[in-house]
Amino acid sequence: MDLAILQRIALELDELLPGRFVTRIHQPLPRDIVLRTRSRSGPEIKLMISADPALGRIHTTDLKIPNPASPPRFCAFLRARFQGSRILRVWADPDDRVVHILGQKGLDSERSETELILELLGRDSNIILVDRRTNKILECLHRIPEKEAGLRAVLPAREYLPPPKRQRSGLLEETEVRNGDTVPGIITEPDGKKRLCLNAAGDRGEKFPSMNHAADAFFTPRLRSALVETLRNDLSGKLKSRIRALDRRIGKIEADARRLKELTNRQVEGEFLKANLQRIKKGMTSVEVSDWETGGTRTIALDPSLSPVANMKKIFKKAAKGKRGEEKVLERLQRSFEEKRALEDCLYFVHEAPDIESLEAAALEMPVTKAGPRKEPPRAGTRAKQESRYFHQYQTPGGREVLVGRNAHGNDFLVRHKARKGDLWFHVKDFPGSHVLLRAGTADLASSGDRAFAAGLAVYFSKALGKGRVEVIIADAAALERPKGALPGQVRVKSFKTILSDQIIPEPSGLKSHE
């Protein structure tokens, strides 16, 4: 954003923002701050302030911007010291890319004035909050220590000094900055690149009512992409952390299962001792017996302090203990694998989410704690529209309805509210993806073509897409069980069959949508 455009935006902001109150502050990206402002009458205005080295800017925006669950350090400080301020003035330095927002907070003797300063200085771009009375830095987005003599340090409690003067740019366009006859816009260069311009009069490019509108349209695609990627990385990082923890738990459970299996296997040793009691004497440390299972011999360790019968009972007791423990451990192992599959489904939907809204929905349903996911707030609308948020709806060539979960909550919705005895449930084996429900009414009524179509959709809406023919699980809906305290989409399949299937790319004509 060059100097002339920055000055024009600052002039427009000085007409829009004075008298408005900063009601909320977000930091959706590491270098971006959003001020939400309101007046006693009129709509909310969101102000985007970015100190990104490559995309530094300031402008109003209409983009819906997610609010991170916990504010970073600088955002938390701004909420404490700048949020609630009434904006008095906005201006830009005449000879550098620096914009000032003056805010006032408090009443009478407790009244204070702070200045939020955006410095667009490339790598050293920064957002700084300064106490107007003392000219001291209260806090800054990017702390710059004094590494060598002459370098300006930007640190809390230091006096604020303007950035060193550089060669002035934009002189030829300065008269255009205040010229009300100019038409702000976005023009496309011969090489295909787009850029903001103060005057897009004639056929030069896309025109906007203000420089702020032009800047918002210019930066929104990049901002949306950055927000999607940041939110995706945040959600996937949390899910991957839980999956790794589950892998560690599964490893420990499998070690317990092997140990208990060894105890259970001692049941055979007890039977060998029982058949050879007459040969065993108290004080023996071992005995060699014939192994009727292998036809060879086996050596069984004995406790010399116990009688033959006591040794036999001790081995049977350990075998019984191992068998009881093994059943419980295998149940824990099954639950852990089911939980891992549900988390992998959640991770798949996060990776496939196309926009911020889809990722926010994934965040609402994501299992944050073992207690379960956060509750999604109710939304207005018809039941059909509400349900369409949970699943895609298709028709097989034979005319049967097929429902495909859009996300983890949609998978859960299909199992809990749509599946009926006789319906067929599909899911790709060993791959995360959507639950697919073939509304058959009676399983025998579903033709092989209907089943192949539903299985192909299961492959298409899964991580197995593009991997050729894969195994797809088919189960009667009556064979599905949702464990107590299950994660969204987590199910236990008591009995199932599998078929080999390739993806089916659904035709738009086969889609029935409520939207």
Side-chain angles (χ1 to χ4, degrees):
M1 186 172 283
D2 66 36
L3 177 61
I5 288 174
L6 195 65
Q7 290 173 339
R8 176 66 175 267
I9 285 177
L11 284 172
E12 293 177 0
L13 293 178
D14 196 40
E15 296 177 358
L16 281 173
L17 298 182
R20 301 182 73 89
F21 289 88
V22 179
T23 57
R24 197 68 174 157
I25 300 176
H26 306 320
Q27 188 174 345
L29 296 171
R31 292 276 193 152
D32 291 10
I33 297 293
V34 177
L35 305 184
R36 299 175 66 171
T37 70
R38 283 193 178 276
S39 61
R40 299 189 186 279
S41 61
E44 177 184 72
I45 295 178
K46 289 192 292 245
L47 182 66
M48 168 63 67
I49 305 173
S50 175
D52 187 279
L55 298 173
R57 64 201 185 279
I58 181 171
H59 57 84
T60 58
T61 182
D62 294 324
L63 181 65
K64 180 183 177 183
I65 298 173
N67 179 23
S70 56
R73 168 190 58 82
F74 184 60
C75 180
F77 190 89
L78 287 183
R79 287 182 180 180
R81 298 298 296 269
F82 197 70
Q83 188 168 293
S85 296
R86 182 167 64 92
I87 297 175
L88 301 180
R89 185 186 168 205
V90 181
W91 73 98
D93 286 355
D95 55 1
D96 210 345
R97 297 193 304 158
V98 179
V99 179
H100 306 253
I101 302 173
L102 180 61
Q104 186 182 78
K105 192 174 181 180
L107 300 172
D108 301 330
S109 60
E110 297 181 357
R111 182 173 297 169
S112 63
E113 290 186 355
T114 51
E115 203 172 304
L116 192 63
I117 303 173
L118 169 65
E119 298 180 344
L120 298 182
L121 308 175
R123 184 183 61 183
D124 293 329
S125 294
N126 214 338
I127 304 174
I128 306 167
L129 187 66
V130 176
D131 187 315
R132 179 80 170 208
R133 182 178 60 84
T134 63
N135 199 40
K136 298 285 187 182
I137 297 174
L138 299 173
E139 188 55 278
C140 50
L141 177 66
H142 177 43
R143 295 182 178 184
I144 305 176
E146 191 170 6
K147 296 179 181 177
E148 56 186 65
L151 183 67
R152 183 184 67 139
V154 181
L155 293 168
R158 290 287 191 100
E159 182 181 3
Y160 174 73
L161 299 173
K165 297 299 180 185
R166 299 182 293 178
Q167 184 176 2
R168 191 173 179 184
S169 63
L171 285 173
L172 295 177
E173 297 188 52
E174 185 175 0
T175 55
E176 292 185 274
V177 172
R178 297 181 177 275
N179 189 347
D181 296 332
T182 59
V183 182
I186 302 172
I187 61 174
T188 303
E189 302 287 4
D191 60 1
K193 291 184 178 179
K194 295 184 177 182
R195 70 174 180 88
L196 288 169
C197 67
L198 284 173
N199 193 3
D203 298 327
R204 296 185 64 192
E206 190 177 1
K207 303 171 183 60
F208 294 88
S210 71
M211 200 71 242
N212 274 276
H213 283 90
D216 186 32
F218 182 77
F219 287 108
T220 285
R222 307 180 197 191
L223 175 59
R224 184 182 286 113
S225 176
L227 289 171
V228 166
E229 196 59 29
T230 298
L231 187 53
R232 192 193 312 280
N233 290 340
D234 179 55
L235 295 178
S236 62
K238 292 175 182 177
L239 286 168
K240 287 176 181 177
S241 178
R242 284 208 54 184
I243 290 171
R244 286 193 297 268
L246 263 177
D247 282 333
R248 291 192 294 270
R249 185 208 299 176
I250 288 170
K252 292 177 181 178
I253 295 173
E254 287 177 333
D256 287 342
R258 288 191 295 270
R259 180 177 55 82
L260 291 167
K261 183 67 174 177
E262 291 174 0
L263 288 179
T264 304
N265 289 341
R266 297 203 69 187
Q267 176 74 23
V268 178
E269 290 188 358
E271 297 294 342
F272 287 147
L273 284 185
K274 187 176 180 181
N276 292 274
L277 281 177
Q278 71 281 1
R279 296 178 47 218
I280 303 170
K281 305 294 182 185
K282 186 175 182 179
M284 293 176 63
T285 57
S286 65
V287 64
E288 189 174 277
V289 299
S290 297
D291 188 337
W292 57 71
E293 291 185 342
T294 64
T297 60
R298 178 186 294 205
T299 300
I300 300 174
L302 301 173
D303 185 341
S305 65
L306 299 179
S307 67
V309 172
N311 265 299
M312 180 187 68
K313 288 182 177 180
K314 181 180 179 181
I315 290 175
F316 278 138
K317 185 176 180 179
K318 285 187 176 181
K321 180 181 178 181
K323 187 175 182 180
R324 291 194 303 272
E326 190 179 14
E327 291 173 354
K328 294 179 180 178
V329 163
L330 291 177
E331 173 67 20
R332 286 179 57 209
L333 191 62
Q334 182 183 7
R335 287 200 306 269
S336 297
F337 275 121
E338 290 166 356
E339 185 177 344
K340 181 182 176 182
R341 284 193 292 269
L343 288 172
E344 288 173 339
D345 282 350
C346 289
L347 183 60
Y348 165 77
F349 290 121
V350 165
H351 285 160
E352 294 296 311
D355 49 39
I356 295 172
E357 291 72 19
S358 301
L359 285 168
E360 285 183 323
L364 282 170
E365 71 204 15
M366 200 174 78
V368 180
T369 64
K370 290 184 179 179
R374 283 176 280 185
K375 299 293 184 183
E376 186 175 358
R379 301 184 186 181
T382 64
R383 179 171 179 175
K385 284 189 176 181
Q386 288 179 343
E387 289 188 350
S388 70
R389 294 184 290 114
Y390 300 135
F391 54 81
H392 303 284
Q393 190 174 10
Y394 295 93
Q395 269 190 346
T396 69
R400 295 199 176 276
E401 185 181 43
V402 183
L403 308 180
V404 181
R406 288 179 180 267
N407 45 44
H409 196 71
N411 283 351
D412 200 56
F413 186 85
L414 291 183
V415 173
R416 298 178 65 183
H417 302 290
K418 289 295 182 180
R420 297 289 183 268
K421 183 178 180 180
D423 293 343
L424 294 179
W425 177 87
F426 297 75
H427 195 287
V428 179
K429 188 178 181 183
D430 300 328
F431 285 95
S434 296
H435 292 350
V436 175
L437 191 66
L438 174 60
R439 308 295 294 278
T442 301
D444 294 338
L445 296 179
S447 68
S448 58
D450 293 336
R451 296 179 188 223
F453 181 84
L457 287 178
V459 178
Y460 181 78
F461 289 98
S462 78
K463 203 171 182 179
L465 179 64
K467 297 186 182 297
R469 292 174 68 80
V470 294
E471 276 192 285
V472 177
I473 295 171
I474 305 178
D476 191 296
L480 303 179
E481 182 181 87
R482 191 173 183 275
K484 184 178 180 181
L487 300 176
Q490 180 180 342
V491 293
R492 180 172 299 167
V493 188
K494 292 181 284 186
S495 62
F496 63 89
K497 297 179 180 179
T498 62
I499 63 170
L500 288 175
S501 179
D502 204 343
Q503 68 194 46
I504 285 181
I505 300 176
E507 296 286 342
S509 58
L511 174 66
K512 292 170 58 183
S513 177
H514 297 300
E515 296 177 340

